[in-house]
Amino acid sequence: MAWTTVHDEVFKKVNQEMDEYQGRMQNQPGQVVYNHAEEIAAMGFCYNQLMSGFHDYQAEDLAPLLHQEKPLEALCQLWMSERNYDPSEEFERVLWSLRNPQTEEQIGPAMC
């Protein structure tokens, strides 16, 4: 895939955004970082996914990111909303399996 000016602009913008995000998080107290753990993990995942295949994306695929003030954050928020993951449901399942140990074989061992 040919590297275009769109690739160049998105690459610079996303990397600058990630550098600033990491700097903000590193300057936060531990409790604040802890409270943002899911967001931090999602930002890291989205950044790594985008960058690992960056040269394979067409300019048309990347161009919408240029219209975002924070393209990585926008991508990350959309990715998180698409996942539709509710950790409270998983917690309820684990709690239920503790109350009903005979079903552990069906559900699997609890992670500690």
Side-chain angles (χ1 to χ4, degrees):
M1 187 84 24
W3 190 270
T4 66
T5 55
V6 171
H7 284 83
D8 194 42
E9 291 175 31
V10 171
F11 186 82
K12 288 176 186 175
K13 193 170 185 176
V14 166
N15 277 297
Q16 180 179 355
E17 179 185 359
M18 188 60 164
D19 287 345
E20 290 171 0
Y21 179 78
Q22 287 176 327
R24 277 194 317 274
M25 287 297 123
Q26 289 173 350
N27 290 326
Q28 297 294 324
Q31 186 63 38
V32 172
V33 173
Y34 179 80
N35 290 339
H36 286 83
E38 185 177 356
E39 171 194 313
I40 293 167
M43 287 286 281
F45 176 81
C46 289
Y47 175 81
N48 290 333
Q49 287 295 116
L50 181 61
M51 291 297 127
S52 68
F54 197 79
H55 62 281
D56 294 329
Y57 297 116
Q58 296 189 19
E60 299 83 36
D61 297 329
L62 298 173
L65 294 174
L66 289 175
H67 303 293
Q68 301 291 325
E69 182 179 337
K70 294 183 175 184
L72 184 58
E73 183 178 310
L75 186 61
C76 181
Q77 288 176 351
L78 182 59
W79 178 75
M80 288 177 71
S81 70
E82 290 288 323
R83 287 179 45 218
N84 267 346
Y85 175 68
D86 183 1
S88 64
E89 289 178 14
E90 183 70 12
F91 181 81
E92 293 297 323
R93 183 191 67 80
V94 170
L95 185 60
W96 185 83
S97 71
L98 287 174
R99 289 190 309 251
N100 301 291
Q102 69 275 10
T103 61
E104 184 177 332
E105 292 174 3
Q106 297 171 343
I107 297 173
M111 294 177 56
C112 296

